[in-house]
Amino acid sequence: MDILGPYTPLILLIFVASMLIQAALTRSYRKWSGVRNARNLTGAQVARMMLDENGLTHVPVNAVPGNLSDHYDPLGKTVNLSEGVYGVPSVAAMAIAAHEVGHAVQDKVRMPALVLRGKMAVPLSLGMNLAPFMVLLGAVLHFSGLLWVGVVLFGAALVFHLVTLPVEFDASRRALAYLNGRGLSGGEGQKGAQGVLTAAALTYVAGFAMALAQLLNVLGIARNND
């Protein structure tokens, strides 16, 4: 029985790197959360402006609890901003709010990658809850069928992370273009907005790297147990 794949050390390395990236994001967020943006606008105000200018006047901007819990809900058609973003006139709040509205704009134009990600999200979340058990049981019971089902599920997760990358990068691109075009990120604000969104983007790159390492690992386990 072999339940540890050949890429286990790589997974551990990527996990450590992910923690470091998350720490860098937290530091960047805290730093630029303490710096007011050039127009002294809260995250909610920036989001409302950007939504209205993109013909999305029907999309509400809601405050939600938590830290860095900001997200766009494509089902409810709502922009949801965390407490540290919604009512705060900081550079970080401005950048994050514009990024989430970027997703709303993607939804409006039906960006193919966003549509695909939305269709994959629910079934994949269910499948990934089962995938580790499939691999473990397959290895313990020497049942290759379960192992290869696990491989397929981990492969689907990799595709999901791959599709997520252009979605997130494009939302940040739209955010920065809007902020720069409206003069909202003047002076130090442009550097801060870029820094916050770059740090956030790296977390998605790390997620993709982790998904790739996990797929290679379970693939090695499946081959070793055939």
Side-chain angles (χ1 to χ4, degrees), residues 91-174:
V91 170
M94 170 186 71
I96 293 171
H99 175 90
E100 298 308 331
V101 175
H103 287 311
V105 176
Q106 291 172 341
D107 192 16
K108 176 187 176 182
V109 301
R110 304 298 292 167
M111 179 182 181
L114 181 73
V115 173
L116 177 59
R117 186 175 74 166
K119 291 180 178 179
M120 293 179 67
V122 173
L124 185 58
S125 65
L126 296 175
M128 285 311 299
N129 287 332
L130 296 174
F133 297 103
M134 293 285 189
V135 174
L136 180 60
L137 286 175
V140 171
L141 300 176
H142 296 286
F143 187 5
S144 62
L146 286 177
L147 279 170
W148 286 103
V149 169
V151 169
V152 170
L153 291 175
F154 275 102
L158 178 65
V159 173
F160 180 82
H161 283 282
L162 181 62
V163 171
T164 292
L165 290 178
V167 172
E168 296 301 329
F169 291 159
D170 180 73
S172 290
R173 179 191 64 78
R174 291 174 187 273

Side-chain angles (χ1 to χ4, degrees), residues 56-112:
L56 295 168
T57 56
H58 60 286
V59 176
V61 180
N62 301 324
V64 294
N67 183 45
L68 291 175
S69 54
D70 313 271
H71 64 282
Y72 170 69
D73 178 5
L75 296 178
K77 309 297 182 186
T78 59
V79 171
N80 304 286
L81 304 179
S82 62
E83 298 167 350
V85 172
Y86 185 89
V88 180
S90 69
V91 170
M94 170 186 71
I96 293 171
H99 175 90
E100 298 308 331
V101 175
H103 287 311
V105 176
Q106 291 172 341
D107 192 16
K108 176 187 176 182
V109 301
R110 304 298 292 167
M111 179 182 181

